[in-house]
C-alpha cells in the first residue's frame, strides 16, 4: 500500500519470498496522483528491486506490470514446451477426462462459500453472516470419486438496478463470466425465501448461455414442512421456468453437511446428459411420431412440413430441423418439440437448441419436360 508506506508485515513477506528463490515483482498499489510516491520509494528497502507504481482502482500502471510479467511468462512457456515435447516415434495419449467446470452461483448470503468449504472439507473460503464477502470468482481444483472438478465460487448476484458500486459491478461481471465458461452451474437457493425474482433471472441467464443447471436448496434444516416447500418450489419452477422443465432439485444444509454428498453426483450425471449425442435415425422416427400426434399449424394457408432433423453438436444438445418455411415456425410448436424430446430421450432440465433450416426444393432449377 503506497499510501500507508512500508509496514512490518511487508518486510516479513519480503524475507520469506527471498528465501523461496522464486521471481518476485514488487508492486506499489494506490499510487494514483502523488500521494503514494513516498511509499513507493520506501519500498526499495525490501531488497526486491524498484516497485512498479499501479492503481488497481483506476487501472493505472498495468502496462508496466505487463512488461515485467511478459518475460517470466515467456520463459515458463518455453520450459513447458521442452518438458512436454513429443519425440519422434512417440504418440501423445491423454485418456483422462478434462476437469468438470462447476460454478456455484446465487444471490448474496445464500451460503455459496459455506457450501464449497463443506464440499472440499476445509475452510478455504471466507464466510460470515454479512452479505458480499466474496468479491471475485475463485476457482479450486478438486477431485470427487476419481473425477477432476474445478469448483468456482462466485460473488452473489443482485438485481442490476441495485448494483451501483464499481467494485460490485466488476464482481457481477466476473460471476457472469464464470457462468459463461462453466459446464454445470449450481444455483443455490435460500430455503427460507425460495425462488425470488432474482433467482429466476439467474436461472434464465444460465439457460440462455446453454449451461446445465442444477438447483441446490440450502438451509434445508430450517424448513419445518419439507414436503410443502418442495411442492411449492416445483410449482414455481413449472410456471416460471418452462424452458428448463425437469430441473433436478437437491435439498441440503451447507452448515451441517446433510445432503451435500448428493450434489456432486448429480452434477457429474448432469454433465453427461449435457454432452448427449443422439443418432439421426431415432431422431427422425421420434419426429414423425410427434408430427403425427400434433401436426404443425397452417401458416398463411400453407402447411408447415417437417422434412428431417439431425444433431449438429452437443454441450448443449443442438439440432438442425429442416422444414419448408422455417421463418414461419411458431414458438409454441418449437416448445412442443423441445418438451417432447426431453421426455423421449430422458434429458430433464437440459437446455436444448433448435436451428431451423429451409429444405431445398428438389425440383428447383429443373426445366420442364417437353411433350
Amino acid at each position: 500500500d503506497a499510501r500507508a508506506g512500508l509496514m512490518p508485515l511487508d518486510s516479513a513477506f519480503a524475507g520469506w519470498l527471498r528465501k523461496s528463490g522464486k521471481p518476485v515483482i514488487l508492486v506499489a498499489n494506490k499510487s494514483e496522483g502523488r500521494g503514494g510516491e513516498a511509499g513507493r520509494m520506501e519500498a526499495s528497502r525490501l531488497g526486491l528491486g524498484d516497485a512498479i507504481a499501479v492503481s488497481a482502482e483506476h487501472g493505472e500502471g498495468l502496462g508496466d506490470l505487463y512488461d515485467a510479467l511478459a518475460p517470466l511468462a515467456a520463459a515458463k512457456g518455453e520450459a513447458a514446451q521442452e518438458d512436454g515435447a513429443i519425440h519422434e516415434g512417440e504418440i501423445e495419449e491423454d485418456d483422462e477426462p478434462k476437469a468438470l467446470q462447476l460454478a456455484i452461483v446465487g444471490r448474496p448470503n445464500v451460503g455459496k462459500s459455506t457450501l464449497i468449504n463443506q464440499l472440499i472439507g476445509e475452510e478455504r473460503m471466507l464466510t460470515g453472516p454479512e452479505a458480499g464477502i466474496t468479491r471475485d470468482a475463485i476457482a479450486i481444483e478438486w477431485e470427487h470419486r476419481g473425477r477432476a472438478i474445478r469448483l468456482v465460487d462466485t460473488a452473489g448476484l443482485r438485481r442490476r438496478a441495485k448494483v451501483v458500486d464499481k467494485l460490485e459491478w466488476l464482481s457481477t461481471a466476473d460471476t457472469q463470466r464464470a457462468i459463461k465458461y462453466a459446464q454445470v452451474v449450481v444455483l443455490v437457493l435460500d430455503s427460507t425465501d425460495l425462488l425470488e425474482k432474482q433467482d429466476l433471472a439467474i436461472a434464465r441467464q444460465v439457460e440462455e448461455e446453454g449451461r446445465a443447471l442444477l438447483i441446490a436448496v440450502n438451509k434445508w434444516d430450517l424448513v419445518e414442512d419439507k414436503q410443502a416447500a418442495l411442492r411449492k418450489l416445483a410449482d414455481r419452477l413449472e410456471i416460471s421456468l418452462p424452458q428448463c422443465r425437469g430441473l433436478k432439485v437437491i435439498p441440503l444444509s451447507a452448515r451441517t453437511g446433510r445432503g451435500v454428498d448428493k450434489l456432486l453426483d448429480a452434477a457429474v450425471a448432469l454433465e453427461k446428459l449435457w454432452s448427449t449425442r443422439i443418432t439421426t435415425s431415432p431422431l427422425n422416427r421420434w419426429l414423425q411420431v410427434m408430427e403425427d400426434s400434433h401436426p404443425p399449424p397452417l401458416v398463411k394457408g400453407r402447411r408447415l412440413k417437417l422434412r428431417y432433423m439431425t444433431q449438429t453438436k452437443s454441450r448443449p444438445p443442438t439440432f438442425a430441423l429442416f422444414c419448408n418455411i422455417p421463418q414461419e415456425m411458431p414458438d409454441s410448436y418449437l416448445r412442443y418439440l423441445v418438451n417432447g424430446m426431453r421426455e423421449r430421450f430422458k434429458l430433464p432440465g437440459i437446455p436444448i437448441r433448435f436451428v431451423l433450416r429451409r429444405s431445398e426444393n428438389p425440383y428447383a432449377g429443373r426445366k420442364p419436360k417437353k411433350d
Side-chain angles (χ1 to χ4, degrees):
D1 187 333
R3 294 185 179 271
L6 192 61
M7 307 296 287
L9 197 56
D10 298 327
S11 301
F13 283 142
W16 176 68
L17 288 171
R18 279 196 298 270
K19 294 176 183 178
S20 70
K22 302 292 184 181
V24 179
I25 297 174
L26 185 60
V27 175
N29 193 25
K30 304 182 184 178
S31 293
E32 61 272 15
R34 297 183 176 273
E37 186 63 21
R40 187 183 73 85
M41 300 296 292
E42 187 183 7
S44 60
R45 291 167 49 191
L46 295 175
L48 299 175
D50 294 334
I52 300 174
V54 303
S55 172
E57 183 176 359
H58 298 89
E60 298 175 5
L62 297 184
D64 296 333
L65 180 58
Y66 176 86
D67 293 339
L69 283 168
L72 300 176
K76 185 174 179 62
E78 292 174 0
Q81 288 180 356
E82 292 176 1
D83 293 341
I86 301 175
H87 299 288
E88 188 175 355
E90 293 182 355
I91 299 176
E92 184 181 19
E93 296 183 355
D94 185 13
D95 295 330
E96 295 184 2
K98 294 182 178 179
L100 170 61
Q101 303 281 339
L102 182 63
I104 312 293
V105 303
R107 289 182 287 118
N109 211 26
V110 294
K112 299 182 294 298
S113 298
T114 305
L115 175 59
I116 286 188
N117 287 340
Q118 187 66 245
L119 285 171
I120 63 178
E122 59 180 281
E123 296 294 325
R124 184 79 65 88
M125 298 299 172
L126 186 64
T127 61
E130 302 85 2
I133 292 179
T134 302
R135 288 294 191 178
D136 299 308
I138 304 170
I140 300 174
E141 305 294 338
W142 196 57
E143 189 172 290
H144 172 70
R145 298 183 181 178
R147 176 65 192 275
I149 295 179
R150 191 167 187 260
L151 290 170
V152 182
D153 187 19
T154 61
L157 289 174
R158 296 200 300 165
R159 287 203 297 268
R160 189 182 296 270
K162 291 188 175 182
V163 179
V164 294
D165 182 63
K166 182 177 181 180
L167 183 58
E168 187 177 359
W169 184 86
L170 293 172
S171 300
T172 300
D174 207 19
T175 300
Q176 292 171 343
R177 193 178 304 110
I179 293 174
K180 182 177 180 181
Y181 290 104
Q183 296 169 342
V184 178
V185 177
V186 177
L187 174 58
V188 183
L189 306 181
D190 189 331
S191 63
T192 60
D193 196 5
L194 282 174
L195 213 60
E196 278 196 348
K197 185 177 180 181
Q198 179 62 10
D199 296 322
L200 293 171
I202 297 171
R204 292 188 185 106
Q205 180 183 349
V206 174
E207 193 277 335
E208 288 171 1
E209 290 290 349
R211 310 300 100 180
L213 179 61
L214 187 63
I215 302 291
V217 185
N218 192 21
K219 307 177 185 178
W220 193 242
D221 51 327
L222 303 179
V223 178
E224 295 181 0
D225 192 345
K226 294 178 170 48
Q227 293 301 323
L230 285 176
R231 287 195 298 269
K232 178 183 177 182
L233 178 59
D235 292 342
R236 186 77 189 276
L237 288 172
E238 183 72 19
I239 295 171
S240 303
L241 282 175
Q243 67 271 39
C244 302
R245 185 168 295 172
L247 283 174
K248 190 169 183 61
V249 177
I250 308 291
L252 54 86
S253 172
R255 184 177 60 86
T256 64
R258 186 175 181 180
V260 170
D261 55 336
K262 300 177 183 178
L263 183 65
L264 289 178
D265 292 335
V268 172
L270 193 62
E271 192 267 341
K272 291 181 180 179
L273 289 179
W274 186 62
S275 306
T276 295
R277 277 202 168 274
I278 305 172
T279 55
T280 303
S281 295
L283 265 181
N284 285 279
R285 287 196 296 268
W286 164 81
L287 181 63
Q288 187 62 52
V289 171
M290 295 293 287
E291 188 176 6
D292 293 342
S293 301
H294 182 47
L298 288 171
V299 178
K300 298 179 181 179
R302 299 176 60 189
R303 171 71 67 182
L304 275 168
K305 296 180 181 179
L306 307 182
R307 306 296 186 186
Y308 67 98
M309 68 183 301
T310 185
Q311 185 170 359
T312 56
K313 75 180 193 71
S314 60
R315 315 180 78 182
T318 303
F319 303 88
L321 176 61
F322 292 83
C323 56
N324 57 338
I325 40 177
Q327 68 276 10
E328 301 294 342
M329 177 72 74
D331 293 338
S332 58
Y333 197 80
L334 280 180
R335 287 195 297 270
Y336 163 72
L337 293 177
V338 168
N339 291 330
M341 176 170 286
R342 283 206 181 99
E343 183 178 350
R344 168 62 181 82
F345 296 104
K346 304 297 187 292
L347 299 172
I350 301 297
I352 295 174
R353 301 286 186 263
F354 274 82
V355 180
L356 299 177
R357 295 181 181 175
R358 185 182 182 87
S359 54
E360 296 182 3
N361 185 352
Y363 299 100
R366 289 189 180 183
K367 295 181 179 180
K369 294 182 179 180
K370 296 182 180 180
D371 295 335

